[in-house]
Amino acid sequence: MGALLQTQKQLGRKGLTLHAGFAIRMPGSYLVKYGAFSVAKQKDLFNKAKVKIETIVKMITNQQGNKIERNNFLINAAGNFAYNSMVPKFPTLDQNFNVNEKCTSCNTCEKVCPVHNIEINNGRPKWRGNCEHCLACIQWCPTEAIQYSTQTNDRKRYHHPGVLVKELYRES
Ligand code: SF4
Ligand code: SF4
């Protein structure tokens, strides 16, 4: 929900108003801290999301406004603090990535990186220190050859079941 507040702020700087803001809870994907949710939990969240999306579509179709959905003040403040203190560190957090012998030189990690931060060198990924910390490379490596330090060794990867890896490939 922090993203909605950030969007509202950015639009405000340009003199624009955000008339509606909706949050849909999805399975978490921050592999650095936790592995994929159970399949049952994922299904539950997808079902709830489907119901909420139908409501949102109706509201948008009817051009209804909606207050910007947000967490309570304390959660927002903690989230903002964590976000603002972490963002400047993102580019070099890729120093924590490492690749093991399971790598098949398929280049998927290089192709899904949205900011060209990976080059394949002698068949293995090399991170360039300009990371956005999106974790696409580690989540989508088909052989789970990428780890983040050692904390991801035993964690299940997560992909939304409706998304194909090819849909994430950069155009260029
Ligand atoms: S996606 Fe995985 S297997 Fe493919 S090149 Fe990257 S590290 Fe190697
Ligand atoms: S895919 Fe994301 S996490 Fe991986 S190197 Fe690129 S920006 Fe960083």
Side-chain angles (χ1 to χ4, degrees):
M1 294 193 199
L4 288 173
L5 295 178
Q6 286 168 16
T7 305
Q8 187 181 34
K9 211 159 141 190
Q10 295 293 335
L11 289 172
R13 285 191 186 129
K14 293 183 180 296
L16 300 170
T17 306
L18 188 61
H19 290 288
F22 305 93
I24 297 170
R25 186 152 179 248
M26 297 297 279
S29 60
Y30 193 48
L31 190 63
V32 170
K33 293 288 180 203
Y34 51 83
F37 291 8
S38 70
V39 172
K41 178 79 181 158
Q42 289 183 32
K43 276 190 184 156
D44 180 50
L45 289 167
F46 294 146
N47 288 338
K48 286 178 177 151
K50 192 165 174 255
V51 172
K52 183 155 182 186
I53 289 167
E54 283 163 7
T55 307
I56 295 169
V57 168
K58 276 187 200 143
M59 290 177 76
I60 293 173
T61 306
N62 297 330
Q63 297 193 337
Q64 268 177 265
N66 183 52
K67 65 178 174 21
I68 312 304
E69 292 183 26
R70 61 183 72 197
N71 289 310
N72 73 39
F73 174 77
L74 280 179
I75 294 179
N76 271 337
N80 270 340
F81 176 77
Y83 179 79
N84 289 327
S85 57
M86 283 300 291
V87 165
K89 296 179 187 160
F90 280 178
T92 53
L93 284 179
D94 62 3
Q95 290 167 3
N96 295 305
F97 286 125
N98 55 84
V99 61
N100 63 29
E101 70 291 342
K102 289 199 276 182
C103 176
T104 57
S105 308
C106 70
N107 291 15
T108 298
C109 51
E110 189 269 336
K111 289 192 262 188
V112 298
C113 178
V115 289
H116 296 267
N117 189 44
I118 295 176
E119 64 175 274
I120 301 295
N121 208 320
N122 293 325
R124 295 289 171 98
K126 191 166 166 239
W127 287 266
R128 295 164 144 162
N130 190 29
C131 184
E132 299 255 316
H133 204 52
C134 71
L135 305 185
C137 53
I138 187 169
Q139 292 280 21
W140 284 96
C141 171
T143 58
E144 300 188 6
I146 301 175
Q147 302 296 342
Y148 189 85
S149 297
T150 54
Q151 65 231 52
T152 53
N153 291 358
D154 300 320
R155 289 187 184 149
K156 279 184 79 173
R157 275 45 172 171
Y158 167 73
H159 313 138
H160 187 288
V163 176
L164 301 174
V165 66
K166 284 188 179 167
E167 293 171 321
L168 300 186
Y169 288 176
R170 284 187 326 271
E171 300 269 309
S172 60

